[in-house]
Amino acid sequence: MFGLFLWMFWNRNKRSKLARMRAAWDLLENECQEVTRGLSAHQLPAWVHFPDVERVEWVNKVVQQMWPYFGLYVEKLFQEKIEPLIRASNGHLKAFTFTKVHFGEKSPRINGVKAYTKKVDKREVILDVQICYTGDCEINVEVKKLCKAGINGVQIHGTLRMILAPLLSDVPFIGAVTMFFIQKPLLEINWTGLTNILEIPGVSDMSDGMIVDLIASYLVLPNRFTFPLSGQVNAAQLRFPVPHGVLRLYLIEAEHLIPKDTYLRGMIKGKSDPYAVMRVGNQTFKSKTIRENLNPRWNEMYEFVVHEVPGQDLEIDLYDEDPDKDDFLGSLVINLESVMKDRIVDEWFPLCDVASGSVHLKLEWHSLLASQEKLSEANSGMTTAMVIVYLDSASSLPKNHLEYTNNEYTTRKQRYTNFPKNDRDPSSYVTICVGKKSVKSKTCSATKDPVWEQAFAFFIQDVHMQHLHVEVKDNDRQCALGMLDIPLHRLLVSKDLTVDQRFPLTNSGPNSFIKMKIVLRVLHIEEPDPESVYAGINSLKHGPVSIRRAHQEKEKHHGKPHKQPEAQQSQIHSVPQNMLVRKESSGSSAHRVNHLTSEQKPSLDQSSTSTGTNSVPRTPNLRHLKRIAPSLISLNSVASSVFDLNESSLPYVVSGEISISVRYASLRRCLFVSINGCRNLMQCSSHGADPYVRIYLLPDRRWASRKKTTIKKKTLNPIYNEKFEFLVSLDDAKKRMLDIAVKNNRPFGSHERKEMGKIMVDLSTEDVDQGFTEWFELTATGHPDS
């Protein structure tokens, strides 16, 4: 008996230990599911959605504790370093003084951090830090006790990207830290004293814009700030990497724009004068204005240099041009990561924040290749290549244009012997010109060996005909200190199409050189991956690339396909989400395409028994039902409430079927849920039912996030063809669950049945990237029988 007792005690402890081990392994593998298991919706706080952006409250606490000491250091820096530099910069500022420098008690906050470790170089880590500073700092300045100015409060919001690269095998393990803002930060300053004049409407926007532009010249793409931590890295290469690619945008047309021009105080609606503003980072273009047209056609082309993907997006805003203030006609944000994957996107994009309107765009992603063989011939002014100029420094510049000209020092000196002598070193800057585009570098004051360290990019139409012209100028005397002209075709014979050297300057001193790195890259549209799926807004209409190619080959062998009826064509065009293009999980190349049109509404049951590619299955496949799990949010807090799907004792009554389409649009960064239709619903009254569909994206059960279709009167086989959007990230969408219920719209006080059935769809078990369309059985609990 004693031995049996010891064995039972040992066995119990062993099972308990193994259970704890399994629980720890499950938590490690699927943290979201294990944490939310057994929790109801009201038990979850609002931030528990397991997003990609992580909270870092411990960092905020550390910064808050260190902020007073950081403020003391900056105050000392202002008074001992910055104040003498300002006094020496201008004779009128000799009496400049910081009367008060106080950075307040409110420290900057980090709202979230997103880390990129996948689909990036293995020798780097990318962090997106959301910075928010609403400070009570106070800085007052004074000049000769007459002019007083200052600021009292600053707000700045933006996303700062930090790149830790390259990763090393030795201490400090990180070669350098590169920082920059992906987009211009939002800035608001409360001015005091004489600078209160900057608070005047119009002047305030201009002053804040100038300060933001000053920040952008140092810390906004394509500018970067690099801290080398190891002598093994090339800081210049980290500060000025080759761009990721070039986005060529064709702004073709728009349709169904809202009218903004009204007459007689809105009694008569007119049209609009639309134009578009397109932005990628700091690059902004404005289209021409089409007068009095709600369906304008622009047919314009623009090119953007894309430096960071993921990170930079294409932003398009449409406005109605007016004499006083332009009216808003809609906006659009497109994720360039998906464009880079698909190479070519030609679609109609619906506009956001307006009642109606869509814009037709064609997007082309051009890779930058160091291959002369990919260089195409110049055709009607289209860009074929790009030149990136890394302006480093110059050495031994002449003090003025009279000291050296064409290297003939003695001749020029004799001719201008009576010219007043000026021994001050030049304040030089550089102008670089390629074709019609000319850029200007910053000015380096009072030095014969200036260091600029800037990068510039130029689009090239014809490499064999165009030249790169460089001119060094003196900012004080407005004269040339040296020139350089390089034919671009010389780069074609260089290794890797790159030249990095010191170039001698003409019309300058005998030892005057300028150091530059010139990189030539060819624009080329590469072929997309045959296994990749078209991820556009109408991806279900276009289908995967492999399907499009197979369809084209089929047309070549069998001729053109039969023309579809006009009603069916219009239905497919207006509701593209009802077409399913999906790969089978078995890995075969077979695909299914299901159409649900308005003409099929009275004969859904008959179509279910037909054969062919357009047939609709009578019941959902068992393979699909097994992928549907019970809602983790709707379960009780008791662990035993997690039931087994194979348990035969559970009640299971089918109350109809519903067809839904789900896909994730990477360009729009939102989840699309399409309610196609229902069939064989249960009868709620003598006339049938008035069904509608309600949708929740769990765990969000707020009334504001509730989606609802229209009500179909007196039918048990309603056709909806309605699409709904949920603004979530792709990783977040794969962790969510759809709660879809079909309800009967009964009159007030009626005793008719309200709930007709529901279904829970676990998106973590579905291929959301590629999209799917399925018929699901409706039950009372939403959990299908296996």
Side-chain angles (χ1 to χ4, degrees):
M1 292 293 294
F2 181 73
L4 180 63
F5 174 78
L6 290 178
W7 179 83
M8 292 175 60
F9 187 80
W10 174 85
N11 194 24
R12 177 183 177 184
N13 288 343
K14 187 68 174 178
R15 289 199 305 268
S16 177
K17 182 177 180 181
L18 290 177
R20 292 194 300 270
M21 291 290 292
R22 293 192 189 98
W25 291 334
D26 293 339
L27 180 63
L28 182 63
E29 293 177 358
N30 195 341
E31 181 182 7
C32 177
Q33 181 178 354
E34 293 299 322
V35 172
T36 56
R37 184 186 299 276
L39 294 178
S40 58
H42 67 275
Q43 292 176 310
L44 287 174
W47 55 269
V48 183
H49 292 161
F50 292 88
D52 295 334
V53 180
E54 302 175 5
R55 301 177 65 189
V56 285
E57 287 300 318
W58 67 272
V59 176
N60 293 326
K61 294 179 180 179
V62 172
V63 173
Q64 184 178 6
Q65 196 76 3
M66 297 176 57
W67 184 247
Y69 301 95
F70 175 78
L72 293 175
Y73 169 77
V74 177
E75 291 174 15
K76 185 178 179 181
L77 179 66
F78 268 60
Q79 294 177 352
E80 296 183 359
K81 300 292 184 179
I82 299 180
E83 185 176 301
L85 292 176
I86 295 177
R87 289 180 176 181
S89 62
N90 195 300
H92 300 286
L93 298 177
K94 291 182 178 180
F96 178 88
T97 305
F98 284 104
T99 57
K100 184 176 182 179
V101 178
H102 180 60
F103 277 80
E105 303 297 331
K106 299 180 180 179
S107 61
R109 282 187 54 81
I110 298 178
N111 291 335
V113 176
K114 182 176 181 179
Y116 298 89
T117 56
K118 298 179 180 178
K119 296 181 180 180
V120 298
D121 192 346
K122 294 184 178 180
R123 297 192 61 189
E124 69 178 10
V125 176
I126 300 177
L127 303 176
D128 282 349
V129 184
Q130 298 177 358
I131 295 179
C132 172
Y133 177 54
T134 306
D136 55 347
C137 63
E138 185 176 358
I139 302 176
N140 296 329
V141 299
E142 184 180 286
V143 179
K144 295 182 180 180
K145 297 183 179 181
L146 297 176
C147 178
K148 297 182 180 180
I151 60 175
N152 185 11
V154 175
Q155 295 188 32
I156 184 169
H157 305 269
T159 300
L160 182 69
R161 171 159 291 190
M162 302 176 62
I163 300 179
L164 312 179
L167 301 181
L168 306 175
S169 58
D170 299 326
V171 177
F173 303 111
I174 299 175
V177 178
T178 304
M179 298 188 303
F180 54 88
F181 284 99
I182 298 177
Q183 296 179 347
K184 290 183 179 180
L186 302 178
L187 178 68
E188 185 175 347
I189 301 175
N190 183 28
W191 300 98
T192 61
L194 185 62
T195 50
N196 269 324
I197 194 175
L198 299 178
E199 301 289 354
I200 299 176
V203 179
S204 177
D205 296 337
M206 182 180 64
S207 62
D208 292 349
M210 293 175 62
I211 296 175
V212 171
D213 291 340
L214 182 62
I215 298 175
S217 63
Y218 291 94
L219 278 177
V220 178
L221 279 176
N223 304 295
R224 303 165 185 248
F225 198 72
T226 303
F227 293 98
L229 301 179
S230 174
Q232 304 177 11
V233 299
N234 186 357
Q237 186 175 359
L238 294 175
R239 286 190 60 190
F240 309 112
V242 177
H244 278 234
V246 172
L247 175 68
R248 182 172 292 170
L249 166 64
Y250 294 90
L251 179 64
I252 302 175
E253 58 183 329
E255 65 178 7
H256 306 316
L257 300 181
I258 56 177
K260 285 293 185 177
D261 297 336
T262 58
Y263 306 97
L264 297 179
R265 296 186 177 181
M267 296 179 61
I268 300 178
K269 290 186 177 181
K271 296 184 178 181
S272 296
D273 304 324
Y275 69 89
V277 177
M278 296 140 287
R279 291 183 299 273
V280 174
N282 284 339
Q283 307 165 82
T284 303
F285 294 101
K286 178 182 176 182
S287 71
K288 62 183 179 182
T289 302
I290 308 298
R291 298 293 177 184
E292 298 184 356
N293 198 330
L294 299 181
N295 301 287
R297 292 186 64 88
W298 289 284
N299 291 324
E300 297 179 354
M301 187 269 289
Y302 304 93
E303 292 178 322
F304 299 90
V305 182
V306 183
H307 297 271
E308 285 293 320
V309 177
Q312 288 187 302
D313 297 328
L314 171 62
E315 303 175 17
I316 300 178
D317 295 326
L318 266 65
Y319 295 95
D320 169 37
E321 188 175 71
D322 289 325
D324 49 357
K325 183 180 180 181
D326 296 345
D327 298 318
F328 180 71
L329 296 179
S331 63
L332 179 66
V333 179
I334 298 177
N335 182 13
L336 296 183
E337 187 176 5
S338 299
V339 180
M340 182 178 67
K341 183 188 302 182
D342 298 327
R343 309 301 181 186
I344 299 178
V345 177
D346 188 355
E347 295 185 13
W348 283 91
F349 294 89
L351 296 174
C352 300
D353 304 325
V354 288
S356 66
S358 57
V359 60
H360 185 194
L361 303 175
K362 181 180 179 181
L363 307 173
E364 295 180 354
W365 179 267
H366 293 258
S367 302
L368 300 179
L369 306 179
S371 175
Q372 183 180 356
E373 291 76 12
K374 300 293 183 180
L375 183 64
S376 59
E377 296 183 1
N379 183 16
S380 65
M382 298 293 290
T383 300
T384 60
M386 170 184 284
V387 167
I388 303 105
V389 179
Y390 302 99
L391 178 62
D392 189 350
S393 60
S395 59
S396 302
L397 293 179
K399 293 183 179 180
N400 53 65
H401 68 293
L402 302 177
E403 184 175 353
Y404 293 106
T405 301
N406 292 327
N407 297 333
E408 298 176 359
Y409 170 73
T410 56
T411 305
R412 304 300 298 178
K413 185 175 181 180
Q414 293 175 2
R415 182 176 300 180
Y416 295 95
T417 54
N418 297 327
F419 193 85
K421 185 178 181 181
N422 191 342
D423 293 332
R424 184 179 179 180
D425 290 333
S427 298
S428 55
Y429 66 91
V430 178
T431 59
I432 305 175
C433 181
V434 176
K436 297 181 180 180
K437 182 180 179 180
S438 180
V439 296
K440 177 183 176 182
S441 72
K442 64 182 180 181
T443 302
C444 295
S445 301
T447 177
K448 298 177 65 175
D449 303 312
V451 178
W452 294 286
E453 292 186 343
Q454 289 182 276
F456 306 96
F458 302 89
F459 289 112
I460 307 299
Q461 284 78 34
D462 191 349
V463 177
H464 300 280
M465 299 297 295
Q466 292 184 275
H467 290 240
L468 174 67
H469 184 75
V470 180
E471 191 170 353
V472 184
K473 295 184 178 181
D474 187 357
N475 188 51
D476 296 333
R477 303 176 182 86
Q478 294 299 321
C479 59
L481 300 178
M483 290 179 289
L484 176 66
D485 189 84
I486 302 176
L488 294 179
H489 64 84
R490 293 185 181 179
L491 299 174
L492 298 176
V493 298
S494 303
K495 182 180 179 181
D496 199 23
L497 304 185
T498 303
V499 175
D500 186 4
Q501 67 180 57
R502 295 169 70 240
F503 297 91
L505 292 172
T506 60
N507 295 339
S508 187
N511 298 319
S512 298
F513 291 87
I514 185 170
K515 184 179 180 181
M516 294 189 304
K517 181 180 179 181
I518 307 174
V519 179
L520 177 66
R521 288 294 180 264
V522 177
L523 272 62
H524 181 69
I525 302 179
E526 297 181 317
E527 288 292 331
D529 187 0
E531 298 300 325
S532 67
V533 178
Y534 188 80
I537 191 70
N538 293 332
S539 59
L540 297 182
K541 181 175 70 174
H542 292 273
V545 177
S546 57
I547 293 181
R548 295 203 301 270
R549 291 175 180 168
H551 183 65
Q552 293 173 359
E553 292 179 0
K554 185 177 180 180
E555 289 184 0
K556 292 180 181 179
H557 291 86
H558 300 283
K560 296 183 179 180
H562 296 290
K563 186 176 181 180
Q564 297 178 345
E566 295 181 0
Q568 185 175 359
Q569 286 182 345
S570 62
Q571 183 72 9
I572 294 176
H573 177 70
S574 60
V575 192
Q577 66 271 17
N578 290 335
M579 180 186 292
L580 168 68
V581 180
R582 179 179 180 177
K583 287 185 179 180
E584 296 293 339
S585 60
S586 61
S588 64
S589 60
H591 294 75
R592 296 177 297 139
V593 180
N594 296 339
H595 301 274
L596 191 62
T597 66
S598 59
E599 292 184 353
Q600 293 171 317
K601 177 181 177 181
S603 59
L604 280 175
D605 293 337
Q606 289 83 352
S607 65
S608 63
T609 58
S610 63
T611 59
T613 58
N614 291 341
S615 63
V616 181
R618 173 63 179 166
T619 57
N621 196 308
L622 180 62
R623 174 178 59 85
H624 299 137
L625 292 180
K626 288 184 177 181
R627 293 204 306 266
I628 305 172
S631 173
L632 299 174
I633 306 302
S634 61
L635 302 180
N636 297 326
S637 58
V638 184
S640 61
S641 64
V642 183
F643 52 84
D644 188 4
L645 291 177
N646 297 322
E647 195 172 339
S648 59
S649 60
L650 293 174
Y652 181 72
V653 178
V654 178
S655 57
E657 294 175 302
I658 183 173
S659 173
I660 64 173
S661 301
V662 180
R663 64 183 176 84
Y664 188 84
S666 301
L667 296 179
R668 295 288 302 281
R669 292 183 177 178
C670 63
L671 180 72
F672 283 93
V673 179
S674 302
I675 305 299
N676 303 325
C678 302
R679 65 187 180 189
N680 302 331
L681 298 179
M682 65 171 53
Q683 189 167 348
C684 299
S685 63
S686 59
H687 67 268
D690 299 334
Y692 68 91
V693 182
R694 183 268 301 153
I695 310 173
Y696 282 117
L697 184 62
L698 300 181
D700 191 358
R701 284 187 177 271
R702 296 175 300 168
W703 182 264
S705 61
R706 172 177 175 266
K707 308 295 184 182
K708 176 184 174 183
T709 66
T710 57
I711 300 171
K712 301 298 181 180
K713 297 289 186 179
K714 301 179 181 180
T715 178
L716 299 180
N717 299 288
I719 302 296
Y720 296 101
N721 291 333
E722 297 185 29
K723 180 173 62 175
F724 304 95
E725 299 180 9
F726 295 91
L727 298 177
V728 293
S729 64
L730 178 59
D731 293 338
D732 193 13
K734 292 180 179 179
K735 301 171 184 176
R736 297 292 191 97
M737 181 171 292
L738 285 173
D739 182 356
I740 302 176
V742 181
K743 297 188 176 184
N744 176 37
N745 184 44
R746 60 184 181 180
F748 179 75
S750 174
H751 295 285
E752 295 180 10
R753 182 183 180 90
K754 178 70 173 178
E755 301 287 343
M756 303 180 67
K758 64 187 303 184
I759 184 66
M760 298 288 187
V761 182
D762 189 1
L763 299 181
S764 63
T765 61
E766 299 286 349
D767 191 357
V768 181
D769 295 336
Q770 188 171 349
F772 64 92
T773 296
E774 296 291 343
W775 282 91
F776 295 97
E777 291 185 346
L778 297 169
T779 62
T781 61
H783 306 136
D785 189 13
S786 59

